[in-house]
Amino acid sequence: MATTKFVHPGILINKTDLEQIKMRITAKQEPTTAAFTKMQTSGMSSVTPLRPKAYRFSSLTYPPCPVPQVRCWTGTGQAYAAMNPQLGLTESGCREQTDDAMAAYAHALQWYVTGDIAYANKAIEIMNAWASTLKEILFDQPRTNTGAQIWGNGKLQAGWTASIITRAAEIIRYSNAGWAATDITRFSDMLTNIYLPLTISGWTSQSNWLMTFAEATINIGVFTNDGVAFDAGVAYWRAKVPTTIYLTTDGPTPIPPHLSTQFDTPAEMASYWYNPVRYVDGLQEETGRDLSHMAMGLGAMSNAAATAGIQGLNLFGEQGARIVAGYELNAGFVNQYLDEVARLGSTPPATWRPAGWVNPRFSLGGEAFKGGWEVVHKAYASKFGIPMPNTLKLAKRLRPTGAAMHLSWETLTHGS
């Protein structure tokens, strides 16, 4: 039976959480106060042709940049476009869409903390702009001459954006901010008709994609009060989490992802997990790829579980051993890296490996590894009394967290 009753606000944080954030900032308690300042000073990582000037996400002059058609290509699609300039293929709206979602979220949080209606109005402006403009997010068509998706990042783009902007929408809708009912309906229709078909159907075998789809689908279900969508997101989470973090109880190799016949042999499965020399408790499928994609996957997984928890489902409990092992192992790797950076005063040499490393290569893969640690620590250590020392050590040394798409401002919302 589909879930039919939802707690609101109930995406990632609830009313009690929002009131606690507000109280801590009023009392100038840390790390919340510093995290709020961090959010207010966080800015766009880059400018784009559609928005050639940089803005802070919290700025009341922040201009939304909606487009009717979002086109986000993969490397294959970009190469195909470069080789076929006569086709006039270009990206459009990718950075703007995620930036606008983060800006709406920042303004919604500022509204709740300060009570300044100008922040609520800015969040509403951003959400209404996209709801009245966006017609589609391309993914499957057109394709290259070899059948590959040109706009192959469309699903992930939909997942990222839906995960973030629904948080803003939930806060605004359930805080007497003056968002018109007709605008809420139009926004809900956008989520249902444009975003949800891309996230609910899943795709690919990469952990960060799988968990992003789960988070986005769950969030859409909550905001639109769609029990079928919510339950589908929960079922997807339950099915995919065991395929993304290894436990020895799984057997000699991880539970197969069952997404295609590509991973039928031990060699194919090893390749899927980036060729570890052995599988150890807590190894995440993308650990050997890089620590940033690993953190993005773990973060989306925990965000989804946090939202489900508000709605009465204890997903953290269902996969507690697996999740704790995944975080503690990988937080330990990141801590070792940061310890080595502190010891050397510079980036470690390319040959450096953390103790216990089981993959052929080691890579940070960007800055995303700095996010995704606060939500899970609050869930297990603060709520369930399960210590996570590696995760806590890492969360504290990375505080306050900044803007990082679906991992944005987690010290503000979950640090204590």
Side-chain angles (χ1 to χ4, degrees), residues 29-41:
Q29 294 181 13
E30 299 296 356
T32 313
T33 301
F36 188 63
T37 300
K38 180 79 169 186
M39 185 189 72
Q40 290 184 306
T41 56

PDB file of all heavy atoms in Angstrom, residues 29-41:
ATOM      1  N   GLN A  29      25.503  29.792  19.111  1.00  0.00           N
ATOM      2  CA  GLN A  29      26.152  28.525  19.408  1.00  0.00           C
ATOM      3  C   GLN A  29      26.897  28.006  18.179  1.00  0.00           C
ATOM      4  O   GLN A  29      26.471  28.205  17.046  1.00  0.00           O
ATOM      5  CB  GLN A  29      25.114  27.493  19.865  1.00  0.00           C
ATOM      6  CG  GLN A  29      24.455  27.828  21.190  1.00  0.00           C
ATOM      7  CD  GLN A  29      23.454  26.774  21.627  1.00  0.00           C
ATOM      8  OE1 GLN A  29      23.394  25.672  21.078  1.00  0.00           O
ATOM      9  NE2 GLN A  29      22.640  27.097  22.632  1.00  0.00           N
ATOM     10  N   GLU A  30      27.996  27.331  18.447  1.00  0.00           N
ATOM     11  CA  GLU A  30      28.791  26.732  17.378  1.00  0.00           C
ATOM     12  C   GLU A  30      28.597  25.219  17.362  1.00  0.00           C
ATOM     13  O   GLU A  30      28.257  24.621  18.386  1.00  0.00           O
ATOM     14  CB  GLU A  30      30.277  27.081  17.576  1.00  0.00           C
ATOM     15  CG  GLU A  30      30.598  28.564  17.555  1.00  0.00           C
ATOM     16  CD  GLU A  30      30.314  29.231  16.209  1.00  0.00           C
ATOM     17  OE1 GLU A  30      29.931  28.542  15.248  1.00  0.00           O
ATOM     18  OE2 GLU A  30      30.479  30.458  16.125  1.00  0.00           O
ATOM     19  N   PRO A  31      28.776  24.591  16.193  1.00  0.00           N
ATOM     20  CA  PRO A  31      29.280  25.172  14.933  1.00  0.00           C
ATOM     21  C   PRO A  31      28.209  25.825  14.064  1.00  0.00           C
ATOM     22  O   PRO A  31      28.471  26.227  12.948  1.00  0.00           O
ATOM     23  CB  PRO A  31      29.855  23.949  14.226  1.00  0.00           C
ATOM     24  CG  PRO A  31      28.917  22.842  14.626  1.00  0.00           C
ATOM     25  CD  PRO A  31      28.565  23.121  16.072  1.00  0.00           C
ATOM     26  N   THR A  32      26.978  25.939  14.606  1.00  0.00           N
ATOM     27  CA  THR A  32      25.865  26.388  13.773  1.00  0.00           C
ATOM     28  C   THR A  32      26.019  27.822  13.300  1.00  0.00           C
ATOM     29  O   THR A  32      25.727  28.143  12.133  1.00  0.00           O
ATOM     30  CB  THR A  32      24.544  26.231  14.548  1.00  0.00           C
ATOM     31  OG1 THR A  32      24.496  24.931  15.142  1.00  0.00           O
ATOM     32  CG2 THR A  32      23.348  26.399  13.626  1.00  0.00           C
ATOM     33  N   THR A  33      26.481  28.714  14.186  1.00  0.00           N
ATOM     34  CA  THR A  33      26.619  30.124  13.807  1.00  0.00           C
ATOM     35  C   THR A  33      27.636  30.301  12.695  1.00  0.00           C
ATOM     36  O   THR A  33      27.386  31.013  11.706  1.00  0.00           O
ATOM     37  CB  THR A  33      27.014  30.966  15.032  1.00  0.00           C
ATOM     38  OG1 THR A  33      26.010  30.817  16.051  1.00  0.00           O
ATOM     39  CG2 THR A  33      27.132  32.429  14.662  1.00  0.00           C
ATOM     40  N   ALA A  34      28.781  29.653  12.810  1.00  0.00           N
ATOM     41  CA  ALA A  34      29.796  29.731  11.755  1.00  0.00           C
ATOM     42  C   ALA A  34      29.278  29.117  10.466  1.00  0.00           C
ATOM     43  O   ALA A  34      29.590  29.598   9.361  1.00  0.00           O
ATOM     44  CB  ALA A  34      31.076  29.031  12.198  1.00  0.00           C
ATOM     45  N   ALA A  35      28.475  28.061  10.587  1.00  0.00           N
ATOM     46  CA  ALA A  35      27.930  27.412   9.399  1.00  0.00           C
ATOM     47  C   ALA A  35      26.925  28.317   8.698  1.00  0.00           C
ATOM     48  O   ALA A  35      26.842  28.337   7.465  1.00  0.00           O
ATOM     49  CB  ALA A  35      27.266  26.096   9.793  1.00  0.00           C
ATOM     50  N   PHE A  36      26.149  29.073   9.474  1.00  0.00           N
ATOM     51  CA  PHE A  36      25.203  30.008   8.873  1.00  0.00           C
ATOM     52  C   PHE A  36      25.947  31.114   8.121  1.00  0.00           C
ATOM     53  O   PHE A  36      25.570  31.489   7.007  1.00  0.00           O
ATOM     54  CB  PHE A  36      24.306  30.609   9.958  1.00  0.00           C
ATOM     55  CG  PHE A  36      23.178  31.451   9.425  1.00  0.00           C
ATOM     56  CD1 PHE A  36      22.194  30.894   8.625  1.00  0.00           C
ATOM     57  CD2 PHE A  36      23.088  32.797   9.752  1.00  0.00           C
ATOM     58  CE1 PHE A  36      21.134  31.660   8.145  1.00  0.00           C
ATOM     59  CE2 PHE A  36      22.043  33.573   9.279  1.00  0.00           C
ATOM     60  CZ  PHE A  36      21.064  33.008   8.475  1.00  0.00           C
ATOM     61  N   THR A  37      27.016  31.612   8.717  1.00  0.00           N
ATOM     62  CA  THR A  37      27.848  32.610   8.043  1.00  0.00           C
ATOM     63  C   THR A  37      28.452  32.035   6.769  1.00  0.00           C
ATOM     64  O   THR A  37      28.516  32.713   5.736  1.00  0.00           O
ATOM     65  CB  THR A  37      28.969  33.098   8.978  1.00  0.00           C
ATOM     66  OG1 THR A  37      28.380  33.693  10.136  1.00  0.00           O
ATOM     67  CG2 THR A  37      29.871  34.109   8.278  1.00  0.00           C
ATOM     68  N   LYS A  38      28.886  30.784   6.838  1.00  0.00           N
ATOM     69  CA  LYS A  38      29.447  30.119   5.658  1.00  0.00           C
ATOM     70  C   LYS A  38      28.413  30.064   4.544  1.00  0.00           C
ATOM     71  O   LYS A  38      28.732  30.336   3.369  1.00  0.00           O
ATOM     72  CB  LYS A  38      29.890  28.701   6.025  1.00  0.00           C
ATOM     73  CG  LYS A  38      30.493  27.903   4.869  1.00  0.00           C
ATOM     74  CD  LYS A  38      31.930  28.285   4.615  1.00  0.00           C
ATOM     75  CE  LYS A  38      32.595  27.316   3.660  1.00  0.00           C
ATOM     76  NZ  LYS A  38      34.036  27.597   3.500  1.00  0.00           N
ATOM     77  N   MET A  39      27.182  29.728   4.876  1.00  0.00           N
ATOM     78  CA  MET A  39      26.142  29.674   3.857  1.00  0.00           C
ATOM     79  C   MET A  39      25.908  31.056   3.262  1.00  0.00           C
ATOM     80  O   MET A  39      25.756  31.207   2.044  1.00  0.00           O
ATOM     81  CB  MET A  39      24.837  29.145   4.440  1.00  0.00           C
ATOM     82  CG  MET A  39      23.737  28.955   3.396  1.00  0.00           C
ATOM     83  SD  MET A  39      22.120  28.586   4.116  1.00  0.00           S
ATOM     84  CE  MET A  39      21.700  30.190   4.812  1.00  0.00           C
ATOM     85  N   GLN A  40      25.897  32.079   4.098  1.00  0.00           N
ATOM     86  CA  GLN A  40      25.633  33.430   3.616  1.00  0.00           C
ATOM     87  C   GLN A  40      26.754  33.974   2.737  1.00  0.00           C
ATOM     88  O   GLN A  40      26.530  34.891   1.950  1.00  0.00           O
ATOM     89  CB  GLN A  40      25.402  34.364   4.799  1.00  0.00           C
ATOM     90  CG  GLN A  40      24.094  34.098   5.539  1.00  0.00           C
ATOM     91  CD  GLN A  40      23.850  35.092   6.635  1.00  0.00           C
ATOM     92  OE1 GLN A  40      24.693  35.293   7.507  1.00  0.00           O
ATOM     93  NE2 GLN A  40      22.695  35.737   6.607  1.00  0.00           N
ATOM     94  N   THR A  41      27.941  33.398   2.858  1.00  0.00           N
ATOM     95  CA  THR A  41      29.070  33.879   2.056  1.00  0.00           C
ATOM     96  C   THR A  41      29.457  32.930   0.927  1.00  0.00           C
ATOM     97  O   THR A  41      30.375  33.217   0.165  1.00  0.00           O
ATOM     98  CB  THR A  41      30.300  34.109   2.957  1.00  0.00           C
ATOM     99  OG1 THR A  41      30.615  32.914   3.671  1.00  0.00           O
ATOM    100  CG2 THR A  41      30.045  35.230   3.956  1.00  0.00           C
TER     101      THR A  41
END
